[in-house]
Amino acid sequence: MKFQIECNTGDISKMCLICQENFQTDEARLIVCNDQGEGYGDICHQCIAKGGNWVQFQLQKFSQKLLA
């Protein structure tokens, strides 16, 4: 998995890939992508704030669900 950061020009409502909560995007979006650059979804600011190790663990669990 890869991360893609995009500038955001307006408020967009998204659902967090990790916590499944709806949130409004700010100036930038953090998008989780596969190795081909296809997006799986956005991560909200509250999940990002929990730290890189926590996010990595959550994404590993997400990855295992994709392979099942």
Side-chain angles (χ1 to χ4, degrees), residues 16-28:
C16 179
L17 186 64
I18 295 174
C19 70
Q20 304 298 308
E21 294 291 326
N22 287 318
F23 69 100
Q24 294 292 322
T25 59
D26 287 330
E27 294 83 25

Side-chain angles (χ1 to χ4, degrees), residues 2-63:
K2 297 179 180 183
F3 293 112
Q4 179 176 328
I5 299 173
E6 288 187 2
C7 292
N8 192 25
T9 57
D11 285 340
I12 301 172
S13 181
K14 293 285 184 176
M15 182 182 293
C16 179
L17 186 64
I18 295 174
C19 70
Q20 304 298 308
E21 294 291 326
N22 287 318
F23 69 100
Q24 294 292 322
T25 59
D26 287 330
E27 294 83 25
R29 295 172 51 199
L30 179 62
I31 305 165
V32 179
C33 301
N34 63 17
D35 291 336
Q36 289 76 35
E38 299 166 342
Y40 289 123
D42 292 55
I43 300 178
C44 73
H45 307 288
Q46 292 169 332
C47 286
I48 293 169
K50 293 181 180 182
N53 290 333
W54 185 85
V55 169
Q56 180 182 10
F57 179 73
Q58 299 303 314
L59 291 177
Q60 286 173 344
K61 291 191 327 188
F62 173 76
S63 179

